[in-house]
Amino acid sequence: MASIYRRGKVWWVKFHLKGVRVQQSLNTTHERVAQARKSQIEYRLATATLVMPSETPIGDFLEGFCRYLRGTRTRKSYKNDISYLRIFFGPICPSLKPGNTCNRSKVLRKERAKVQEACKNQHVRIGLLEELSSEMVSQFIMCRIQTDGISARTANRFREVLHRMFTYAIKERGYTGPDGAKSNPVADVSRRQEPAPNIRFLRLSEVRKQLDGLQDSPTLHALVATLIYAGLRREEALWLTIDDVDLDKRLIYVRAKLINGEHWQPKTKRNRVVPISSALHGILTAHTPQRAEPWFFPSPRGRRWDPDNFSQELREINRSHGLTWSCLDFRHTFGSHLAQKGESLYKIAELMGNSPEICRRHYAALMPEKMHDVVEFNPGSPPTSDKAEAMLKAILDKLDRKEPALARAKLRLIRTGREEVAS
């Protein structure tokens, strides 16, 4: 059978499998946990369901996983996932090494260097994927929360990316854990409770103030107006082409496209159409820059805006006018004003390319109250009559006053007809 022993502070197990002596770490410093895992191994040995763990070199595996992400995730989602993996493992494969930042501003390069330096000593150092346990993931996340103050949402994003990584390892690379089971160790890592979202949006007076501050930059003025009045995401607006904006039909088409060999698709991988409001139509009609390429909102060089460069340019202009709003605030402005107007969450979700559940979490608290009659339970208060019922009662009263006999005959005839139909 199996027996456990300790190397330093970590417990190990040894047993024989098909005549071969096996020694492996149980990845825990707690004896009770080690005993429980030894019992699981003994059960699997007795039932002949225990197999040898796989050996997956972490560097080659992560390179393959990054290629998988590149082919299945959107460009922005891929970049975000790579960032989390780089912080967790460090730049241990070519895909996780910092990319070329020649098109970034000096401020962005300095900010990225600070982040990389802060995370340099926090990487998880392993040689094989099988060495990574749920305890190591939990300790890493807890350390980041305590030392760096990351939010619960960021902690959950780390967990999601690593969970996706092990799912890929099990399905595509034949991963088998140290205990001989094909299970995802990140599933045992608890999710953090995320607080209610703090939605920041612009009032109508603030919308005018924001647009007035961009009058000297016509392209940014039209671009920000599109973010506010159409609720587009930043990259959705930057990827708009001339064919995507139909000013005659007053429609904006947010759809996947392949331009100059580069493929792009919306975040949710679903195309949608957003109507152009009258306020936005006037702004876009006056937006007629010189376009050497197909972009509807070209950069100063006539090319597609780099998202970070666009945000940096907008941030600098807003700072000069004492404004602090971002692209996410503009998108929330669209959803918040529709919710305050009383539009359904389903319509808002369709226009913004979100799920109704996300819209409910963000904008349900802004919707006008429509259930005052539901909370009325005082027996002394008169019942609230439905509008249709009140209208019908008024018509019957009028008929009784003017033509009582004719009214009774008609009602008797209607009632008889209904009974005949029912029978």
Side-chain angles (χ1 to χ4, degrees):
M1 300 303 286
S3 61
I4 61 173
Y5 61 98
R6 190 162 55 184
R7 285 186 181 177
K9 294 183 178 180
V10 180
W11 286 92
W12 285 60
V13 64
K14 59 182 179 181
F15 55 90
H16 286 80
L17 179 63
K18 296 181 180 179
V20 179
R21 185 182 181 186
V22 179
Q23 292 177 292
Q24 63 185 29
S25 172
L26 293 174
N27 296 312
T28 182
T29 58
H30 302 284
E31 183 178 3
R32 183 174 297 179
V33 177
Q35 289 286 358
R37 292 180 179 176
K38 179 181 79 74
S39 299
Q40 294 176 357
I41 292 175
E42 290 177 338
Y43 172 77
R44 294 174 68 87
L45 283 171
T47 57
T49 57
L50 182 64
V51 296
M52 290 295 293
S54 56
E55 293 186 357
T56 310
I58 189 63
D60 294 339
F61 167 77
L62 286 176
E63 184 64 26
F65 180 56
C66 291
R67 289 196 298 268
Y68 168 78
L69 291 176
R70 194 180 300 117
T72 57
R73 305 280 283 171
T74 63
R75 180 174 177 271
K76 187 173 185 299
S77 297
Y78 166 75
K79 290 175 61 178
N80 292 338
D81 290 351
I82 291 297
S83 177
Y84 286 113
L85 291 173
R86 184 185 296 118
I87 294 174
F88 190 87
F89 292 104
I92 62 175
C93 68
S95 294
L96 294 185
K97 294 185 182 299
N100 183 12
T101 59
C102 62
N103 61 336
R104 303 290 195 268
S105 66
K106 292 182 179 180
V107 175
L108 290 176
R109 288 201 298 270
K110 290 181 180 179
E111 291 178 354
R112 173 172 289 186
K114 289 181 180 178
V115 173
Q116 293 174 1
E117 185 64 25
C119 300
K120 186 175 182 180
N121 298 324
Q122 300 179 5
H123 303 316
V124 175
R125 312 287 183 181
I126 56 174
L128 298 175
L129 178 63
E130 288 72 18
E131 298 175 13
L132 184 60
S133 64
S134 56
E135 288 85 358
M136 296 171 68
V137 176
S138 297
Q139 290 174 5
F140 173 85
I141 293 177
M142 183 59 66
C143 179
R144 292 295 313 280
I145 292 175
Q146 294 175 348
T147 60
D148 300 334
I150 65 172
S151 64
R153 180 178 180 182
T154 302
N156 289 335
R157 295 300 88 79
F158 273 108
R159 181 187 179 278
E160 290 173 7
V161 173
L162 294 174
H163 191 282
R164 187 179 299 118
M165 180 191 72
F166 273 103
T167 300
Y168 163 79
I170 294 171
K171 292 183 177 180
E172 305 293 337
R173 300 294 293 269
Y175 168 85
T176 304
D179 59 352
K182 289 183 175 294
S183 57
N184 195 323
V186 184
D188 295 330
V189 179
S190 301
R191 285 182 56 87
R192 265 60 182 181
Q193 181 67 35
E194 298 183 22
N198 182 21
I199 303 301
R200 191 172 71 156
F201 63 95
L202 285 68
R203 273 64 178 178
L204 295 179
S205 60
E206 294 172 332
V207 170
R208 290 190 292 269
K209 186 177 181 180
Q210 172 64 75
L211 296 180
D212 290 344
L214 298 173
Q215 289 293 345
D216 295 336
S217 304
T219 300
L220 290 183
H221 177 269
L223 212 166
V224 170
T226 303
L227 298 176
I228 293 175
Y229 289 116
L232 269 59
R233 298 180 178 90
R234 180 181 63 175
E235 288 205 8
E236 291 175 347
L238 298 181
W239 274 86
L240 286 178
T241 64
I242 299 175
D243 296 333
D244 293 332
V245 182
D246 192 334
L247 294 177
D248 295 331
K249 295 182 179 179
R250 297 177 60 166
L251 296 173
I252 295 177
Y253 297 91
V254 182
R255 52 193 174 187
K257 61 200 71 175
L258 178 65
I259 300 178
N260 298 330
E262 190 174 5
H263 179 262
W264 178 87
Q265 60 180 339
K267 179 180 179 180
T268 56
K269 301 181 181 179
R270 291 189 300 136
N271 299 335
R272 71 182 192 277
V273 181
V274 182
I276 299 176
S277 64
S278 56
L280 180 58
H281 186 266
I283 296 174
L284 296 183
T285 302
H287 173 64
T288 55
Q290 297 295 327
R291 301 185 181 95
E293 294 196 27
W295 309 112
F296 192 81
F297 298 115
S299 70
R301 296 184 179 181
R303 302 176 181 176
R304 178 176 61 84
W305 273 100
D306 177 84
D308 293 333
N309 287 343
F310 163 71
S311 295
Q312 179 68 17
E313 183 76 14
L314 177 63
R315 192 181 302 114
E316 292 177 356
I317 296 177
N318 277 353
R319 189 182 295 118
S320 65
H321 291 83
L323 306 177
T324 60
W325 297 305
S326 66
C327 296
L328 185 59
D329 300 331
F330 302 149
R331 177 169 163 81
H332 284 322
T333 299
F334 179 79
S336 299
H337 282 280
L338 290 183
Q340 289 178 330
K341 202 178 82 169
E343 297 296 343
S344 69
L345 294 177
Y346 176 80
K347 289 182 179 179
I348 299 175
E350 286 294 311
L351 290 173
M352 299 185 68
N354 273 336
S355 66
E357 173 58 26
I358 291 179
C359 286
R360 184 200 64 77
R361 191 166 62 228
H362 286 173
Y363 309 118
L366 299 173
M367 301 187 71
E369 297 295 336
K370 296 183 178 180
M371 296 189 292
H372 287 94
D373 56 332
V374 175
V375 300
E376 295 292 347
F377 58 87
N378 185 1
S381 59
T384 304
S385 299
D386 184 76
K387 290 184 178 180
E389 182 182 352
M391 185 181 298
L392 178 60
K393 184 178 180 181
I395 293 174
L396 293 176
D397 291 341
K398 186 175 181 180
L399 288 174
D400 286 338
R401 288 195 303 271
K402 290 188 175 181
E403 299 175 346
L406 180 59
R408 283 192 296 271
K410 288 184 177 180
L411 290 175
R412 190 181 307 110
L413 179 60
I414 292 173
R415 187 180 299 109
T416 305
R418 287 181 178 176
E419 292 173 353
E420 291 175 356
V421 171
S423 63

